[in-house]
Amino acid sequence: MKKIGILTFHRAINNGAVLQAYALTTVFRSQGCQCNDIDYSAKKIDGSYKIKSLKQRKNLKSIILYFIQDLNILKTQDKFKAFRDNYLNISKKNYDTCISQANEDYDSFVVGSDQVWNTDLTGNDLNYYLKFVHNKPKYSYAASIGKKGFNEQNKEEIKNLLSHYKLITVREEAAVSTVNDLIEINPEVVPDPVFLLKKEEWENKFALEQKEEGFILFFMLHHNDDMIKFTSDLASKNNLKIINLTNDFKPIKGFKSVRGFGPLEFLKYISTSSYVVTDSFHAASLALILNKELYIGLKTGELKSLNVRIYGLVNKFGIKDRLISDNISYDRMKYNEINLKIDKQRNFGISVIKKIVEDK
């Protein structure tokens, strides 16, 4: 049986990252292969989650921060570890210091999904372009660059690496021209792995309840006053409370903060909400899969380039009117139409994975 190694952000303290990792390995395994996430992570990514212990703190401000914020982050990290241990298929060997050895341990390699080709996130770690793989088939599934283009510093090396892939697929339409400009091929756009599992599969696997509990789920990655005001107005209009999933210690007036949550709570809050208001690609994606009323905030200023993922999502499923803007719609979402588009995307994504598994 073919053994496939997937390189992704499975160790990220990020709900979307670990949930897409779960979905992708689940679907690969369903196609009749051995498959797991290669236990490797860029130093920059791992380093961004390190929390100083109380003993390491020398000033009062840092000590106060430990109790009002960092303890919640540590609690969150424990929940992510439990999720990885219980649900992800991760290699028994850790490859952080010996990634080249993975070349001998797998028959073929897939990189994706998530922003694996965003060198700003990985600290220019080109292992996420499968640099360590030699004389083995290489593929990408729904790889995302997450910004406007490839890093100029590494462009020639990235060009050489990508030219040796057997199949390149990307997550966003905007990435097609970016890849084409570099290596003169048009990669296929495939759905994010979370869309590869049906609504019922998410609900059954994680015991998600379908009943609404009368609240708006607010999940904001980057501060956005328009999102906050919109959510407050929506809550007043519909007589709903607001639950804010956050590890930020600063409260928002009228919002109930829930801290120290992991992927399971993330899914369950989405599932039982009446509305989801978010600027997160994966929160919005899972809200669509679970057929929730959804509104999406756009990033502003220097973060505008990150909106490429959101624009790709709303264009693909015909929900531009769910963006928090002057053209917003307050009508119920047409899930009879949206679900047909999700089904079409799912079937296409699975067909691509089947092609990778069966490739000789």
CSV table of all heavy atoms in Angstrom, one decimal, residues 139-179:
chain,number,residue,atom,x,y,z
A,139,TYR,N,3.5,16.6,-4.8
A,139,TYR,CA,2.2,17.1,-5.2
A,139,TYR,C,1.9,18.3,-4.2
A,139,TYR,O,2.4,18.2,-3.0
A,139,TYR,CB,1.1,16.1,-5.1
A,139,TYR,CG,1.4,14.8,-5.8
A,139,TYR,CD1,2.0,13.8,-5.1
A,139,TYR,CD2,1.0,14.5,-7.1
A,139,TYR,CE1,2.3,12.6,-5.7
A,139,TYR,CE2,1.2,13.3,-7.7
A,139,TYR,CZ,1.9,12.3,-7.0
A,139,TYR,OH,2.2,11.1,-7.6
A,140,SER,N,1.0,19.2,-4.6
A,140,SER,CA,0.4,20.1,-3.6
A,140,SER,C,-1.1,19.9,-3.6
A,140,SER,O,-1.6,19.7,-4.7
A,140,SER,CB,0.8,21.5,-3.9
A,140,SER,OG,0.2,22.0,-5.1
A,141,TYR,N,-1.7,20.0,-2.5
A,141,TYR,CA,-3.1,20.0,-2.4
A,141,TYR,C,-3.6,21.3,-1.7
A,141,TYR,O,-3.3,21.5,-0.5
A,141,TYR,CB,-3.7,18.8,-1.7
A,141,TYR,CG,-5.3,18.9,-1.7
A,141,TYR,CD1,-5.9,18.4,-2.8
A,141,TYR,CD2,-6.0,19.6,-0.8
A,141,TYR,CE1,-7.3,18.6,-3.0
A,141,TYR,CE2,-7.3,19.8,-0.9
A,141,TYR,CZ,-8.0,19.3,-2.0
A,141,TYR,OH,-9.4,19.5,-2.1
A,142,ALA,N,-4.3,22.2,-2.5
A,142,ALA,CA,-4.8,23.4,-1.9
A,142,ALA,C,-3.8,24.3,-1.2
A,142,ALA,O,-4.1,24.9,-0.2
A,142,ALA,CB,-6.0,23.1,-1.0
A,143,ALA,N,-2.6,24.3,-1.8
A,143,ALA,CA,-1.6,25.2,-1.2
A,143,ALA,C,-2.0,26.6,-1.3
A,143,ALA,O,-2.5,27.0,-2.3
A,143,ALA,CB,-0.2,24.9,-1.8
A,144,SER,N,-1.7,27.4,-0.3
A,144,SER,CA,-2.0,28.8,-0.3
A,144,SER,C,-0.8,29.6,-0.1
A,144,SER,O,0.1,29.3,0.8
A,144,SER,CB,-3.0,29.1,0.8
A,144,SER,OG,-3.3,30.5,0.9
A,145,ILE,N,-0.6,30.7,-0.9
A,145,ILE,CA,0.5,31.6,-0.7
A,145,ILE,C,0.2,32.6,0.4
A,145,ILE,O,1.0,33.2,1.1
A,145,ILE,CB,0.9,32.3,-2.0
A,145,ILE,CG1,1.1,31.2,-3.1
A,145,ILE,CG2,2.1,33.2,-1.9
A,145,ILE,CD1,1.1,31.7,-4.5
A,146,GLY,N,-1.1,33.0,0.5
A,146,GLY,CA,-1.6,33.8,1.5
A,146,GLY,C,-1.3,35.3,1.4
A,146,GLY,O,-1.6,36.1,2.2
A,147,LYS,N,-0.7,35.7,0.3
A,147,LYS,CA,-0.3,37.1,0.0
A,147,LYS,C,-0.3,37.2,-1.5
A,147,LYS,O,-0.6,36.3,-2.3
A,147,LYS,CB,1.0,37.4,0.7
A,147,LYS,CG,2.1,36.5,0.3
A,147,LYS,CD,3.4,36.8,1.0
A,147,LYS,CE,4.6,35.9,0.6
A,147,LYS,NZ,5.8,36.3,1.2
A,148,LYS,N,0.3,38.4,-1.9
A,148,LYS,CA,0.2,38.7,-3.4
A,148,LYS,C,1.1,37.8,-4.2
A,148,LYS,O,0.9,37.6,-5.4
A,148,LYS,CB,0.5,40.2,-3.6
A,148,LYS,CG,-0.7,41.1,-3.1
A,148,LYS,CD,-0.4,42.5,-3.4
A,148,LYS,CE,-1.6,43.4,-3.0
A,148,LYS,NZ,-1.3,44.8,-3.3
A,149,GLY,N,2.3,37.4,-3.7
A,149,GLY,CA,3.2,36.7,-4.6
A,149,GLY,C,4.3,36.0,-3.8
A,149,GLY,O,4.3,36.0,-2.6
A,150,PHE,N,5.2,35.3,-4.5
A,150,PHE,CA,6.3,34.6,-3.9
A,150,PHE,C,7.3,35.6,-3.4
A,150,PHE,O,7.5,36.7,-4.0
A,150,PHE,CB,6.9,33.6,-4.9
A,150,PHE,CG,6.0,32.5,-5.3
A,150,PHE,CD1,5.4,32.4,-6.6
A,150,PHE,CD2,5.7,31.5,-4.4
A,150,PHE,CE1,4.6,31.3,-6.9
A,150,PHE,CE2,4.8,30.4,-4.7
A,150,PHE,CZ,4.3,30.4,-6.0
A,151,ASN,N,8.1,35.1,-2.4
A,151,ASN,CA,9.1,35.9,-1.9
A,151,ASN,C,10.3,36.1,-2.9
A,151,ASN,O,10.8,35.2,-3.4
A,151,ASN,CB,9.7,35.2,-0.6
A,151,ASN,CG,10.6,36.1,0.2
A,151,ASN,OD1,11.3,37.0,-0.4
A,151,ASN,ND2,10.7,35.8,1.5
A,152,GLU,N,10.6,37.4,-3.2
A,152,GLU,CA,11.6,37.7,-4.2
A,152,GLU,C,12.9,37.1,-3.9
A,152,GLU,O,13.7,36.7,-4.7
A,152,GLU,CB,11.7,39.2,-4.4
A,152,GLU,CG,10.5,39.9,-5.1
A,152,GLU,CD,10.4,39.5,-6.5
A,152,GLU,OE1,11.4,39.1,-7.2
A,152,GLU,OE2,9.3,39.4,-7.0
A,153,GLN,N,13.2,37.0,-2.6
A,153,GLN,CA,14.5,36.5,-2.1
A,153,GLN,C,14.7,35.1,-2.5
A,153,GLN,O,15.9,34.7,-2.8
A,153,GLN,CB,14.6,36.6,-0.6
A,153,GLN,CG,15.8,36.1,0.1
A,153,GLN,CD,15.7,36.1,1.6
A,153,GLN,OE1,14.9,36.8,2.2
A,153,GLN,NE2,16.5,35.2,2.2
A,154,ASN,N,13.7,34.3,-2.6
A,154,ASN,CA,13.8,32.9,-2.9
A,154,ASN,C,13.2,32.5,-4.2
A,154,ASN,O,13.0,31.3,-4.5
A,154,ASN,CB,13.1,32.0,-1.7
A,154,ASN,CG,13.6,32.4,-0.4
A,154,ASN,OD1,12.9,33.0,0.4
A,154,ASN,ND2,14.8,32.0,-0.1
A,155,LYS,N,12.8,33.4,-5.0
A,155,LYS,CA,12.0,33.2,-6.2
A,155,LYS,C,12.6,32.1,-7.1
A,155,LYS,O,11.9,31.2,-7.6
A,155,LYS,CB,11.7,34.5,-6.9
A,155,LYS,CG,10.4,34.5,-7.7
A,155,LYS,CD,10.1,35.9,-8.1
A,155,LYS,CE,8.6,36.0,-8.6
A,155,LYS,NZ,8.3,37.3,-9.0
A,156,GLU,N,13.9,32.2,-7.4
A,156,GLU,CA,14.5,31.3,-8.4
A,156,GLU,C,14.6,29.9,-7.8
A,156,GLU,O,14.3,28.9,-8.5
A,156,GLU,CB,15.9,31.8,-8.7
A,156,GLU,CG,15.9,32.9,-9.7
A,156,GLU,CD,15.2,32.6,-11.0
A,156,GLU,OE1,15.4,31.6,-11.6
A,156,GLU,OE2,14.3,33.5,-11.3
A,157,GLU,N,14.8,29.8,-6.5
A,157,GLU,CA,14.9,28.4,-5.9
A,157,GLU,C,13.4,27.8,-5.8
A,157,GLU,O,13.3,26.6,-6.1
A,157,GLU,CB,15.5,28.5,-4.5
A,157,GLU,CG,15.7,27.1,-3.9
A,157,GLU,CD,16.5,27.1,-2.6
A,157,GLU,OE1,16.8,28.2,-2.1
A,157,GLU,OE2,16.9,26.0,-2.1
A,158,ILE,N,12.5,28.7,-5.5
A,158,ILE,CA,11.1,28.2,-5.5
A,158,ILE,C,10.7,27.7,-6.9
A,158,ILE,O,10.0,26.7,-7.1
A,158,ILE,CB,10.1,29.3,-5.0
A,158,ILE,CG1,10.4,29.5,-3.5
A,158,ILE,CG2,8.7,28.9,-5.2
A,158,ILE,CD1,9.7,30.7,-2.9
A,159,LYS,N,11.0,28.5,-7.9
A,159,LYS,CA,10.7,28.1,-9.3
A,159,LYS,C,11.3,26.8,-9.6
A,159,LYS,O,10.6,25.9,-10.2
A,159,LYS,CB,11.3,29.2,-10.2
A,159,LYS,CG,11.1,28.9,-11.7
A,159,LYS,CD,11.7,30.0,-12.6
A,159,LYS,CE,11.5,29.7,-14.0
A,159,LYS,NZ,12.0,30.8,-14.9
A,160,ASN,N,12.5,26.5,-9.2
A,160,ASN,CA,13.2,25.2,-9.5
A,160,ASN,C,12.5,24.1,-8.8
A,160,ASN,O,12.2,23.0,-9.3
A,160,ASN,CB,14.6,25.3,-9.1
A,160,ASN,CG,15.3,23.9,-9.3
A,160,ASN,OD1,15.4,23.4,-10.4
A,160,ASN,ND2,15.9,23.4,-8.3
A,161,LEU,N,12.1,24.3,-7.5
A,161,LEU,CA,11.4,23.3,-6.7
A,161,LEU,C,10.0,23.0,-7.3
A,161,LEU,O,9.7,21.8,-7.5
A,161,LEU,CB,11.3,23.8,-5.3
A,161,LEU,CG,12.6,23.9,-4.5
A,161,LEU,CD1,12.3,24.6,-3.1
A,161,LEU,CD2,13.1,22.5,-4.2
A,162,LEU,N,9.2,24.0,-7.6
A,162,LEU,CA,7.9,23.7,-8.1
A,162,LEU,C,7.9,23.1,-9.5
A,162,LEU,O,7.0,22.4,-9.9
A,162,LEU,CB,7.1,25.0,-8.2
A,162,LEU,CG,6.8,25.7,-6.8
A,162,LEU,CD1,5.9,26.9,-7.0
A,162,LEU,CD2,6.1,24.7,-5.9
A,163,SER,N,8.9,23.3,-10.3
A,163,SER,CA,9.0,22.7,-11.6
A,163,SER,C,9.2,21.2,-11.6
A,163,SER,O,9.0,20.6,-12.6
A,163,SER,CB,10.2,23.4,-12.4
A,163,SER,OG,11.4,23.0,-11.8
A,164,HIS,N,9.5,20.6,-10.4
A,164,HIS,CA,9.6,19.2,-10.3
A,164,HIS,C,8.4,18.5,-9.7
A,164,HIS,O,8.4,17.3,-9.4
A,164,HIS,CB,10.9,18.9,-9.5
A,164,HIS,CG,12.1,19.2,-10.2
A,164,HIS,ND1,12.7,20.4,-10.2
A,164,HIS,CD2,12.9,18.5,-11.1
A,164,HIS,CE1,13.8,20.4,-10.9
A,164,HIS,NE2,13.9,19.3,-11.5
A,165,TYR,N,7.3,19.3,-9.5
A,165,TYR,CA,6.1,18.6,-9.0
A,165,TYR,C,5.3,17.9,-10.1
A,165,TYR,O,5.3,18.3,-11.2
A,165,TYR,CB,5.1,19.7,-8.4
A,165,TYR,CG,5.4,20.2,-7.0
A,165,TYR,CD1,6.7,20.7,-6.7
A,165,TYR,CD2,4.5,20.2,-6.0
A,165,TYR,CE1,7.0,21.1,-5.4
A,165,TYR,CE2,4.7,20.6,-4.7
A,165,TYR,CZ,6.0,21.1,-4.4
A,165,TYR,OH,6.2,21.5,-3.1
A,166,LYS,N,4.7,16.8,-9.7
A,166,LYS,CA,3.9,16.0,-10.6
A,166,LYS,C,2.5,16.7,-10.8
A,166,LYS,O,1.9,16.6,-11.8
A,166,LYS,CB,3.7,14.6,-10.2
A,166,LYS,CG,5.0,13.8,-10.3
A,166,LYS,CD,4.8,12.3,-10.2
A,166,LYS,CE,4.2,11.8,-11.5
A,166,LYS,NZ,4.0,10.3,-11.5
A,167,LEU,N,2.0,17.3,-9.7
A,167,LEU,CA,0.7,18.0,-9.8
A,167,LEU,C,0.7,19.2,-8.8
A,167,LEU,O,1.1,19.0,-7.6
A,167,LEU,CB,-0.4,17.1,-9.5
A,167,LEU,CG,-1.8,17.7,-9.4
A,167,LEU,CD1,-2.3,18.1,-10.8
A,167,LEU,CD2,-2.8,16.7,-8.8
A,168,ILE,N,0.3,20.3,-9.2
A,168,ILE,CA,0.2,21.5,-8.3
A,168,ILE,C,-1.3,21.9,-8.3
A,168,ILE,O,-1.9,22.2,-9.4
A,168,ILE,CB,1.1,22.7,-8.8
A,168,ILE,CG1,2.6,22.3,-8.7
A,168,ILE,CG2,0.8,23.9,-8.0
A,168,ILE,CD1,3.5,23.4,-9.2
A,169,THR,N,-1.8,22.0,-7.1
A,169,THR,CA,-3.2,22.5,-7.0
A,169,THR,C,-3.1,23.6,-5.9
A,169,THR,O,-2.3,23.5,-5.0
A,169,THR,CB,-4.2,21.5,-6.6
A,169,THR,OG1,-4.0,21.0,-5.2
A,169,THR,CG2,-4.2,20.3,-7.6
A,170,VAL,N,-3.9,24.6,-6.0
A,170,VAL,CA,-3.9,25.7,-5.1
A,170,VAL,C,-5.3,26.0,-4.5
A,170,VAL,O,-6.3,25.5,-5.0
A,170,VAL,CB,-3.4,27.0,-5.7
A,170,VAL,CG1,-1.9,26.9,-6.1
A,170,VAL,CG2,-4.2,27.4,-7.0
A,171,ARG,N,-5.4,26.8,-3.4
A,171,ARG,CA,-6.6,27.0,-2.8
A,171,ARG,C,-7.4,28.2,-3.3
A,171,ARG,O,-8.6,28.2,-3.4
A,171,ARG,CB,-6.4,27.1,-1.3
A,171,ARG,CG,-7.7,27.1,-0.4
A,171,ARG,CD,-7.4,27.2,1.0
A,171,ARG,NE,-6.9,28.4,1.5
A,171,ARG,CZ,-6.5,28.7,2.7
A,171,ARG,NH1,-6.6,27.7,3.6
A,171,ARG,NH2,-6.0,29.9,3.1
A,172,GLU,N,-6.6,29.2,-3.7
A,172,GLU,CA,-7.2,30.5,-4.1
A,172,GLU,C,-7.0,30.7,-5.6
A,172,GLU,O,-6.0,30.4,-6.2
A,172,GLU,CB,-6.7,31.7,-3.4
A,172,GLU,CG,-7.2,31.8,-2.0
A,172,GLU,CD,-6.3,31.1,-1.0
A,172,GLU,OE1,-5.1,30.9,-1.2
A,172,GLU,OE2,-6.9,30.6,0.1
A,173,GLU,N,-8.0,31.3,-6.2
A,173,GLU,CA,-8.0,31.6,-7.7
A,173,GLU,C,-6.8,32.6,-7.9
A,173,GLU,O,-6.2,32.5,-9.0
A,173,GLU,CB,-9.3,32.3,-8.1
A,173,GLU,CG,-9.5,32.3,-9.6
A,173,GLU,CD,-9.8,31.0,-10.2
A,173,GLU,OE1,-10.6,30.2,-9.7
A,173,GLU,OE2,-9.2,30.7,-11.3
A,174,ALA,N,-6.6,33.5,-7.0
A,174,ALA,CA,-5.5,34.5,-7.2
A,174,ALA,C,-4.1,33.8,-7.3
A,174,ALA,O,-3.2,34.4,-7.9
A,174,ALA,CB,-5.5,35.4,-6.0
A,175,ALA,N,-4.0,32.6,-6.8
A,175,ALA,CA,-2.7,31.9,-6.8
A,175,ALA,C,-2.4,31.3,-8.2
A,175,ALA,O,-1.2,31.0,-8.5
A,175,ALA,CB,-2.6,30.8,-5.8
A,176,VAL,N,-3.4,31.2,-9.0
A,176,VAL,CA,-3.2,30.6,-10.3
A,176,VAL,C,-2.2,31.4,-11.2
A,176,VAL,O,-1.2,30.9,-11.7
A,176,VAL,CB,-4.5,30.4,-11.1
A,176,VAL,CG1,-4.3,29.9,-12.5
A,176,VAL,CG2,-5.4,29.4,-10.3
A,177,SER,N,-2.5,32.7,-11.3
A,177,SER,CA,-1.6,33.6,-12.1
A,177,SER,C,-0.3,33.7,-11.4
A,177,SER,O,0.8,33.8,-12.1
A,177,SER,CB,-2.3,34.9,-12.3
A,177,SER,OG,-2.5,35.6,-11.0
A,178,THR,N,-0.2,33.7,-10.1
A,178,THR,CA,1.1,33.8,-9.4
A,178,THR,C,2.0,32.6,-9.7
A,178,THR,O,3.2,32.8,-10.0
A,178,THR,CB,0.9,33.9,-7.9
A,178,THR,OG1,0.0,35.0,-7.6
A,178,THR,CG2,2.2,34.1,-7.1
A,179,VAL,N,1.4,31.4,-9.7
A,179,VAL,CA,2.2,30.2,-10.1
A,179,VAL,C,2.5,30.2,-11.6
A,179,VAL,O,3.6,29.9,-12.0
A,179,VAL,CB,1.4,28.9,-9.7
A,179,VAL,CG1,2.1,27.7,-10.2
A,179,VAL,CG2,1.2,28.9,-8.2
